[in-house]
Amino acid sequence: MLGVSMERPTETDSPPTQATHTPIFRTLFTGGLMGLANLVPGVSGGTMVLIMGLYDRFIGSVADITRLRFSRSALIFLGLIIAGAGVAIVGLSTVMSYLVRTHESLMYALFIGMTLAGAPLLWKMCRPIKWPTVIAFVVGFGLMLAIFLTEDEGAKAAAREVRAAETFVPSVSIGRDIAGGALAMSAMILPGISGAYMMLILGRYEHITGAVSLLKDIARGDTEHAMTALQILGPVAVGAILSLVLLSNLLKYLLKHHEQPMGGLLLGVLIGSAVAIWPFTSESTGRDYAIGAAACIGGFVAVLALTFFVTPKDEPQT
């Protein structure tokens, strides 16, 4: 479907995960990339899965589980994905939050390059190009620009205050946290959609990643902010579950019956998200642009290099 070596089911209702083996190392690594992507504004976890050659299987497995159609293969596959993502999120949330706050322009340039690396695969999905695909691309691109242009100024100001603070304790916002969880989960399912970027627009990126960081403090016996962390991450989990159930089944249907227009829509969203996180201002210098260009190219090449890790053979399977 997307230029990757995944087999389609021959029957309409047959889950794509039946009678298949799970490459353990590749699946764990893919989960880790998904978790890292959800900490990075502008990078889509779905793009990471696509690049690693497991996208069809991931969507099929998630859709089947949400419809209570369980199989040993699907459960093992998703268990490995979740384990890899969980380790990356818990282990790297503090580092990523710090880097975004203290090296914003450099990190965003890197994220733009990493995001655009998913474009070639989505382009393959769009072919042959027809008018519905072109229209879908324009809609996706326009949607991301509209979100960027209507970003809440209060959220921007709050984010700037957080980044300027030496110490920071996340605050609770139930509605925004539910939306943040839903959008973060959408990033695991939709190539080109960055949940971390959407959380930035909501003004909740630092608060949600900060709540994840507090979990490590709780594990070490520091329970001062335990209730705050739970009040943030609980709504995030609710939003993520709702998004998982609804989007996985909708996407499975749309990709099966409207593949090229969906490819155009996702490609538009991906490119629009890269444009929307442009980090440079009128105060940026030539040196800033040079370093940013190097970071952008480095991110692009690094993500493309991941395709060389797609080795279905000669690795332990279950």
Side-chain angles (χ1 to χ4, degrees):
M1 178 178 71
L2 305 178
V4 293
S5 58
M6 303 303 300
E7 296 182 358
R8 285 185 176 277
T10 56
E11 298 180 12
T12 302
D13 295 326
S14 297
T17 52
Q18 288 183 348
T20 58
H21 296 289
T22 300
I24 296 174
F25 297 146
R26 184 158 59 112
T27 306
L28 276 171
F29 185 59
T30 300
L33 290 176
M34 288 181 68
L36 178 60
N38 279 279
L39 295 173
V40 177
V43 183
S44 165
T47 300
M48 298 297 104
V49 180
L50 188 152
I51 289 172
M52 295 302 293
L54 296 173
Y55 190 72
D56 279 3
R57 183 168 182 184
F58 176 71
I59 291 298
S61 297
V62 171
D64 290 339
I65 293 300
T66 61
R67 296 165 62 188
L68 304 181
R69 297 177 60 182
F70 301 104
S71 69
R72 178 176 179 272
S73 178
L75 290 172
I76 292 176
F77 175 78
L78 291 178
L80 291 171
I81 289 284
I82 292 170
V87 169
I89 289 172
V90 173
L92 297 175
S93 60
T94 302
V95 173
M96 295 309 303
S97 180
Y98 171 78
L99 289 174
V100 169
R101 296 202 316 266
T102 58
H103 299 83
E104 184 176 359
S105 296
L106 175 63
M107 294 301 293
Y108 274 45
L110 175 66
F111 302 156
I112 288 174
M114 295 176 71
T115 298
L116 291 178
L121 289 169
L122 288 174
W123 174 253
K124 291 180 181 179
M125 180 179 172
C126 294
R127 295 183 299 180
I129 304 298
K130 298 179 180 179
W131 276 111
T133 304
V134 175
I135 294 172
F137 171 85
V138 172
V139 170
F141 184 82
L143 175 64
M144 293 307 298
L145 287 187
I147 291 173
F148 170 70
L149 294 174
T150 57
E151 182 178 353
D152 182 71
E153 288 298 327
K156 289 182 180 179
R160 286 193 293 268
E161 290 178 5
V162 167
R163 290 168 192 160
E166 294 184 4
T167 60
F168 158 65
V169 177
S171 62
V172 177
S173 179
I174 295 176
R176 288 176 180 265
D177 290 336
I178 291 175
L183 292 170
M185 182 56 69
S186 74
M188 291 189 177
I189 298 174
L190 295 170
I193 300 286
S194 167
Y197 170 63
M198 299 304 290
M199 285 191 289
L200 272 175
I201 289 179
L202 290 170
R204 298 302 295 168
Y205 174 76
E206 288 85 359
H207 296 271
I208 292 174
T209 55
V212 174
S213 298
L214 289 178
L215 292 179
K216 290 183 286 186
D217 295 335
I218 296 171
R220 291 194 293 263
D222 182 1
T223 59
E224 179 182 358
H225 301 294
M227 185 57 67
T228 298
L230 295 177
Q231 288 175 332
I232 293 173
L233 296 179
V236 169
V238 171
I241 292 171
L242 291 174
S243 176
L244 180 69
V245 172
L246 296 175
L247 274 179
S248 61
N249 287 281
L250 176 62
L251 184 62
K252 183 179 180 180
Y253 172 83
L254 291 175
L255 287 173
K256 180 177 178 61
H257 298 284
H258 306 282
E259 181 178 354
Q260 283 77 28
M262 277 300 297
L265 178 69
L266 295 176
L267 183 60
V269 168
L270 183 147
I271 295 177
S273 67
V275 172
I277 62 173
W278 179 257
F280 303 107
T281 67
S282 58
E283 299 177 357
S284 299
T285 64
R287 181 175 180 274
D288 294 329
Y289 281 100
I291 295 175
C296 182
I297 294 171
F300 184 88
V301 172
V303 173
L304 285 185
L306 291 175
T307 58
F308 293 103
F309 288 94
V310 180
T311 53
K313 299 179 181 179
D314 302 325
E315 62 174 307
Q317 298 184 343
T318 183

